[in-house]
């Protein structure tokens, strides 16, 4: 009978926590993102919000788990631009690309970007080829057209606003290839330490809630383990194409005329969608609009409990 009573109390505790969670859920407007393919394997679309009580208990143990997420603005940004130059000879190709790169570096110095924050990475130098159509018009001959040199310009800045200014100035030097932008934080150890404190604070509240409901006694010292990870923005972008289209069926006529159908261009929309907040006990900087790095810390603590006397 005592075991049944304990089970009923456990069920009551879970029901109370679940009801509290649903009272705090938020509604959202779907928007055009609903056109996104719902069959993506890497990010399944959730149709409900998960609760995250994460209590596991027996008659002699209690395990409490906590997950905390923090949206953190980057301290520095690293932008990589791709540059290429074609010419008849390798020498002319290198001279041409260096002239453009040096002019660009001098230009962005007016933005406060020092040479120490710029590195030029030599990528490759290759032959380029084309074809000559022979006089009989029945054959073509491949020929060496010249040489192409490729380099990357790597620039580190501490303000996000400078990225667009760099891209703007680069266009004057026929530099259009924005390879990627990396987000960086300097003191990850400090971030992990702060997240651990937040997780312990949440865990203490969970522990107090449990022991206020169930008059248990802890014996010995608890054991704990934690995990720490982070997610960069480049892996968090989704896309969709929002349009409605009518169906077209094949039709023939008595003249047996063939037609070429040209589709109108349908634009793709790309947008940032960070880690799903469901399943987290606490999200720090949840309402902050600026995109940054997402840090995740999980904490699990096990308590040994004094068994009830039968």
């Amino acid at each position: 009978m005592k075991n049944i009573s304990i089970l009923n109390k456990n069920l009551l505790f879970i029901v109370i926590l679940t009801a509290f969670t649903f009272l705090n859920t938020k509604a959202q407007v779907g928007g055009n993102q609903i056109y996104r393919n719902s069959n993506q394997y890497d990010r399944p679309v959730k149709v409900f919000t998960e609760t995250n009580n994460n209590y596991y208990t027996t008659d002699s143990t209690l395990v409490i788990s906590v997950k905390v997420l923090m949206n953190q603005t980057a301290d520095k940004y690293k932008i990589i631009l791709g540059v290429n130059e074609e010419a008849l000879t390798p020498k002319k190709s290198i001279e041409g690309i260096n002239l453009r790169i040096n002019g660009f570096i001098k230009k962005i110095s007016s933005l406060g970007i020092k040479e120490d924050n710029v590195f030029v990475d030599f990528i490759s130098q290759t032959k380029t080829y084309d074809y000559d159509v022979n006089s009989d018009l029945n054959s073509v001959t491949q020929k060496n057209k010249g040489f192409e040199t490729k380099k990357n310009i790597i620039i580190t800045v501490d303000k996000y606003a400078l990225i667009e200014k760099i891209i703007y100035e680069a266009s004057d030097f026929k530099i259009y290839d924005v390879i990627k932008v990396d987000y960086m934080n300097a003191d990850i150890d400090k971030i992990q330490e702060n997240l651990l404190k937040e997780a312990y604070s949440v865990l203490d509240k969970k522990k107090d809630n449990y022991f206020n409901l169930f008059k248990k006694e802890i014996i010995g010292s608890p054991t704990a383990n934690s995990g720490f990870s982070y997610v960069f923005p480049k892996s968090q972008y989704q896309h969709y194409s929002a349009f409605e289209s009518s169906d077209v069926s094949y039709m023939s006529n008595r003249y047996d005329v063939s037609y070429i159908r040209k589709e109108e261009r349908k634009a793709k929309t790309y947008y940032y969608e960070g880690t799903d907040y469901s399943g987290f006990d606490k999200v720090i900087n949840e309402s902050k609009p600026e995109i940054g790095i997402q840090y995740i810390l999980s904490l699990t603590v096990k308590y040994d409990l004094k068994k009830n006397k039968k």
Side-chain angles (χ1 to χ4, degrees):
M1 293 298 292
K2 287 184 178 179
N3 289 337
I4 294 174
S5 176
I6 292 170
L7 178 61
N8 288 336
K9 286 183 178 179
N10 276 313
L11 289 173
L12 175 62
F13 180 60
I14 292 170
V15 169
I16 291 171
L17 287 175
T18 302
F20 178 77
T21 302
F22 278 113
L23 285 172
N24 284 276
T25 56
K26 299 178 181 178
Q28 67 176 33
V29 178
N32 285 344
Q33 68 165 345
I34 62 175
Y35 282 89
R36 186 183 66 185
N37 181 7
S38 61
N39 294 321
Q40 296 182 82
Y41 295 104
D42 60 333
R43 186 185 290 269
V45 176
K46 295 178 184 290
V47 295
F48 60 90
T49 301
E50 295 177 356
T51 58
N52 187 43
N53 297 324
N54 288 332
Y55 286 88
Y56 174 77
T57 182
T58 67
D59 62 344
S60 60
T61 58
L62 169 65
V63 178
I64 304 177
S65 296
V66 173
K67 282 181 71 178
V68 179
L69 180 147
M70 181 171 67
N71 298 306
Q72 180 67 32
T73 304
D75 301 321
K76 291 187 180 296
Y77 305 88
K78 183 167 66 178
I79 179 172
I80 302 179
L81 303 173
V83 194
N84 69 298
E85 178 79 18
E86 294 187 29
L88 292 177
T89 66
K91 186 176 180 180
K92 290 291 184 184
S93 177
I94 291 174
E95 287 175 351
I97 199 170
N98 286 344
L99 184 65
R100 290 161 57 203
I101 290 174
N102 291 337
F104 169 65
I105 293 174
K106 184 178 179 180
K107 182 72 175 181
I108 63 174
S109 65
S110 63
L111 301 176
I113 300 172
K114 299 177 181 178
E115 287 191 18
D116 290 344
N117 294 326
V118 181
F119 179 76
V120 179
D121 186 19
F122 184 94
I123 301 300
S124 65
Q125 181 177 275
T126 56
K127 290 183 177 181
T128 58
Y129 293 88
D130 203 350
Y131 289 92
D132 277 338
V133 179
N134 295 332
S135 58
D136 58 8
L137 302 180
N138 291 323
S139 61
V140 293
T141 302
Q142 191 177 57
K143 66 174 183 178
N144 176 219
K145 183 183 177 183
F147 294 84
E148 181 183 42
T149 302
K150 291 184 179 181
K151 294 187 178 186
N152 288 345
I153 308 172
I154 304 169
I155 307 167
T156 302
V157 296
D158 55 7
K159 294 179 182 178
Y160 184 82
L162 286 172
I163 293 173
E164 186 170 335
K165 293 179 180 179
I166 289 170
I167 296 169
Y168 178 82
E169 298 295 349
S171 63
D172 285 343
F173 300 88
K174 298 181 180 179
I175 300 172
Y176 312 115
D177 187 6
V178 183
I179 296 174
K180 67 172 182 173
V181 177
D182 289 329
Y183 290 61
M184 299 176 290
N185 280 129
D187 198 349
I188 295 180
D189 289 340
K190 186 65 175 179
I191 291 171
Q192 184 176 1
E193 181 183 332
N194 291 336
L195 269 181
L196 191 58
K197 289 178 181 177
E198 294 285 351
Y200 266 115
S201 176
V202 174
L203 187 132
D204 278 340
K205 292 178 181 178
K206 280 191 170 188
K207 185 187 72 170
D208 290 344
N209 288 338
Y210 180 86
F211 285 103
N212 285 337
L213 271 172
F214 306 101
K215 306 306 179 183
K216 296 280 189 176
E217 182 181 342
I218 298 175
I219 56 175
S221 299
T223 57
N225 64 76
S226 65
F228 180 67
S229 61
Y230 35 89
V231 184
F232 293 106
K234 63 183 178 183
S235 63
Q236 299 293 88
Y237 281 86
Q238 301 293 316
H239 67 83
Y240 64 84
S241 295
F243 63 89
E244 303 291 343
S245 179
S246 57
D247 293 329
V248 178
S249 301
Y250 173 76
M251 297 181 65
S252 60
N253 55 39
R254 58 179 178 163
Y255 301 108
D256 194 25
V257 177
S258 297
Y259 295 94
I260 297 176
R261 187 180 72 186
K262 182 180 179 181
E263 294 282 351
E264 287 290 335
R265 180 185 176 192
K266 281 93 173 179
K268 279 188 177 180
T269 296
Y270 291 84
Y271 65 99
Y272 174 79
E273 183 176 58
T275 301
D276 192 341
Y277 290 161
S278 61
F280 287 94
D281 296 279
K282 185 172 184 178
V283 178
I284 303 168
N285 299 331
E286 178 181 1
S287 60
K288 199 169 187 177
E290 185 175 350
I291 293 170
I293 305 168
Q294 292 188 303
Y295 294 91
I296 299 168
L297 188 137
S298 60
L299 175 66
T300 300
V301 178
K302 177 186 174 186
Y303 302 89
D304 291 322
L305 307 177
K306 187 176 181 180
K307 289 186 179 181
N308 293 328
K309 295 181 179 179
K310 296 182 179 180

